[in-house]
């Protein structure tokens, strides 16, 4: 099975005509997509965004091979060097702004700025390289940013949800779902899961905030 990485073209599920931002939209919600190198963050933002996404991908060179570990992503020819940006409407007044964070360790210093003002995050995981997800989860927990975990389908060995939760040491309340970042419908399902998780969290905290 082909890997669902950022160099894959957007599937036919992505509309050719992108929707312009409505003048009535007045509530922007910032979401960050994080994860290891080559897990499909750019692909997810591209597949689900209503607008033509802003991408800061650059072609990978031989010089970069000495810096980035590409042993598990041999087919990858481009990489994000700042962030990806896209947008999706929840309704006429609420908009999700999507920021895809760079995965290489040398660009991790950008993450703190991307996390500023973030409502929640998606941690995208390649189950063949689970260790690459530790840093993203650790940083989100340190920032106190709510998140969900989405396992991108790269066609590797199957793992049970229990095995993945144990490997990532996930809190039982953190949603864990499967996805294919190339699919618009699958990526939308990821964002819906995150929004529902955030609604549940803030609803449970409302009585505490009222005290």
């Amino acid at each position: 099975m082909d890997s669902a990485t950022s160099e894959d073209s957007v599937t036919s599920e992505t509309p050719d005509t992108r929707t312009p931002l409505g003048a009535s939209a007045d509530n922007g919600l910032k979401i960050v997509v994080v994860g290891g190198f080559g897990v499909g963050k750019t692909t997810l933002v591209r597949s689900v965004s209503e607008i033509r996404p802003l991408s800061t991908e650059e072609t990978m060179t031989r010089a970069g091979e000495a810096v980035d570990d590409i042993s598990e992503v041999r087919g990858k020819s481009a990489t994000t060097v700042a962030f990806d940006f896209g947008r999706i409407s929840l309704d006429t007044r609420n908009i999700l702004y999507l920021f895809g964070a760079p995965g290489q360790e040398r660009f991790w210093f950008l993450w703190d700025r991307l996390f500023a003002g973030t409502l929640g995050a998606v941690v995208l995981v390649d189950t063949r390289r689970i260790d690459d997800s530790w840093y993203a989860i650790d940083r989100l927990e340190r920032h106190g940013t709510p998140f969900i975990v989405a396992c991108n389908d790269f066609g590797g060995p199957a793992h049970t949800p229990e095995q993945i939760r144990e490997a990532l040491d996930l809190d039982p309340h953190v949603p864990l779902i499967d996805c294919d970042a190339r699919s618009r419908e699958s990526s939308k399902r990821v964002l819906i899961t995150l929004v529902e998780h955030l609604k549940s969290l803030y609803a449970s905290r409302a009585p505490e905030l009222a005290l």
Side-chain angles (χ1 to χ4, degrees):
M1 184 176 184
D2 294 335
S3 61
T5 52
S6 60
E7 66 273 10
D8 293 317
S9 60
V10 179
T11 67
S12 58
E13 294 180 79
T14 305
D16 293 329
T17 304
R18 307 286 183 161
T19 306
L21 180 62
S24 61
D26 55 13
N27 193 17
L29 310 173
K30 182 179 178 182
I31 299 297
V32 174
V33 183
V34 296
F37 180 45
V39 297
K41 300 180 294 296
T42 297
T43 301
L44 188 147
V45 173
R46 283 178 177 172
S47 70
V48 78
S49 179
E50 296 172 338
I51 61 173
R52 184 177 299 279
L54 169 66
S55 178
T56 57
E57 280 199 318
E58 295 292 342
T59 301
M60 297 179 66
T61 64
R62 290 187 177 276
E65 294 182 9
V67 181
D68 301 319
D69 181 5
I70 63 170
S71 59
E72 299 294 334
V73 286
R74 287 294 181 185
K76 190 171 177 60
S77 59
T79 185
T80 299
V81 297
F83 62 86
D84 301 303
F85 174 77
R87 190 204 79 210
I88 184 169
S89 300
L90 296 179
D91 53 42
T92 57
R93 292 193 172 275
N94 296 287
I95 304 294
L96 282 184
Y97 294 112
L98 310 177
F99 290 81
Q104 301 99 307
E105 184 175 352
R106 58 194 167 113
F107 296 127
W108 284 351
F109 70 92
L110 295 170
W111 284 25
D112 287 336
R113 290 190 177 276
L114 285 177
F115 287 171
T118 298
L119 186 67
V122 174
V123 178
L124 206 56
V125 173
D126 177 354
T127 55
R128 303 170 304 171
R129 300 180 286 130
I130 283 185
D131 288 350
D132 291 355
S133 308
W134 273 104
Y135 181 77
I137 292 175
D138 179 67
R139 290 294 288 273
L140 289 169
E141 290 178 340
R142 287 175 180 269
H143 277 263
T145 302
F147 64 92
I148 68 167
V149 173
C151 296
N152 197 10
D153 181 10
F154 283 84
H159 299 280
T160 66
E162 291 75 18
Q163 289 173 325
I164 296 172
R165 284 188 176 278
E166 182 177 358
L168 294 174
D169 193 25
L170 279 185
D171 185 287
H173 297 100
V174 174
L176 172 66
I177 63 173
D178 293 323
C179 78
D180 183 340
R182 298 166 297 186
S183 164
R184 178 173 173 79
E185 288 305 313
S186 182
S187 296
K188 284 173 63 177
R189 213 159 41 239
V190 170
L191 297 179
I192 290 170
T193 299
L194 175 60
V195 170
E196 290 177 343
H197 177 54
L198 294 173
K199 286 175 63 178
S200 176
L201 282 178
Y202 287 112
S204 65
R205 293 175 183 175
E208 299 176 10
L209 297 174
L211 295 178

